[in-house]
Amino acid sequence: MLEEIEEEIRHCRKCPLWKGRTHAVPGEGNESAQLMIVGEAPGKREDEMGRPFVGKAGQLLREVLERNSLRREEIYITNVVKCRPPNNRNPSSDEIKKCIPYLHRQMDTIAPCIIVTLGNVATSSLLPLFGFIPEKISIIHGTIFESALHRVTIVPTFHPAACIYNPALKQDFIRDFERVGAMLRSTRGGRKI
Ligand code: URA
Ligand code: SF4
C-alpha cells in the first residue's frame, strides 16, 4: 500500500539526509495514476511543507500540467530522493542508492503506464532500471522509451527549475509534456499500455 510506504519514508534514517530535514517528502497523488512524474529531491519549500513540487519549479510544472488538462489528482508526483540535500546540492550516488528502493516500491504499487523523469538525476537514475542507457537530458528529452517487458513508457524532459534558470528550454519542456498528454489521451478509457 502506498500509504505504508509514505509512512516508512517519513521515519526513514537510511542515509544522512534525514538529519537536515524538516519533513521528508514521500510524494503524493493517485494510487492508480496512469502518469507518474519523478523529480530529483525536495527543495526548501517542499521540505517545509512535506509535499513535492510546491515551490517555484512546482508552479511551472502545474502550469504545464494544466495546459494539457492533466489534474494533479490523476497523477502521482515524487522524487528520486525523499529528503532535501543541504543547499539543494545534487544527491550523492550513495544517497540515491539508499533511497531509490522507495521509488521502486512506489512504481510497483502504482504501476503507471507513463513515467516522466524531470532532469538529469531522475533520468539517469530511472532509465537503467528499465534497461535503457541514459544520455544527457539536452539530447534525450522528449524521447519515448517503451519497455514492453515492464509495460511502461518513460519520457525524460527538462527539470522545471532548469527551465526557470534558462527560459530557452521552456518551449521544449512544454512540447515534451504535450506529447505525454497526447499519449495519455490515447490510452484513456482503454487498458493500460
Ligand atoms: N525539485 C524537485 O526535483 N523536486 C521537488 O519536489 C521540488 C523541486
Ligand atoms: Fe531515507 Fe531517502 Fe530520506 Fe535518505 S533521503 S533518510 S534514504 S527517505
Side-chain angles (χ1 to χ4, degrees), residues 63-115:
E63 264 174 53
V64 87
L65 293 174
E66 270 165 22
R67 258 176 111 115
N68 289 287
S69 311
L70 297 163
R71 289 178 300 122
R72 259 181 99 135
E73 307 83 74
E74 10 171 27
I75 301 167
Y76 193 84
I77 304 186
T78 188
N79 289 297
V80 172
V81 160
K82 316 298 194 195
C83 302
R84 182 190 180 210
N87 303 315
N88 297 345
R89 65 157 167 77
N90 279 4
S92 70
S93 54
D94 198 50
E95 289 155 358
I96 293 174
K97 205 159 71 190
K98 295 267 168 53
C99 205
I100 212 162
Y102 293 121
L103 181 60
H104 294 177
R105 287 166 60 194
Q106 288 171 322
M107 291 190 297
D108 282 350
T109 307
I110 296 163
C113 54
I114 302 179
I115 301 175

Side-chain angles (χ1 to χ4, degrees), residues 39-43 46 52-53 57 79 159:
E40 179 176 318
E46 289 75 22
F53 286 100
N79 289 297
H159 194 289

Side-chain angles (χ1 to χ4, degrees), residues 160-176:
C163 302
I164 293 168
Y165 184 73
N166 178 3
L169 305 177
K170 200 169 154 183
Q171 278 315 312
D172 283 337
F173 177 69
I174 291 170
R175 217 170 300 132
D176 294 345

Side-chain angles (χ1 to χ4, degrees), residues 108-125:
D108 282 350
T109 307
I110 296 163
C113 54
I114 302 179
I115 301 175
V116 173
T117 55
L118 302 175
N120 274 316
V121 170
T123 304
S124 61
S125 305

Side-chain angles (χ1 to χ4, degrees), residues 33-59:
Q34 288 199 314
L35 172 61
M36 198 160 166
I37 297 178
V38 182
E40 179 176 318
K44 187 168 187 291
R45 192 90 185 108
E46 289 75 22
D47 172 72
E48 285 166 3
M49 308 278 288
R51 297 181 56 203
F53 286 100
V54 288
K56 236 177 151 187
Q59 198 179 325

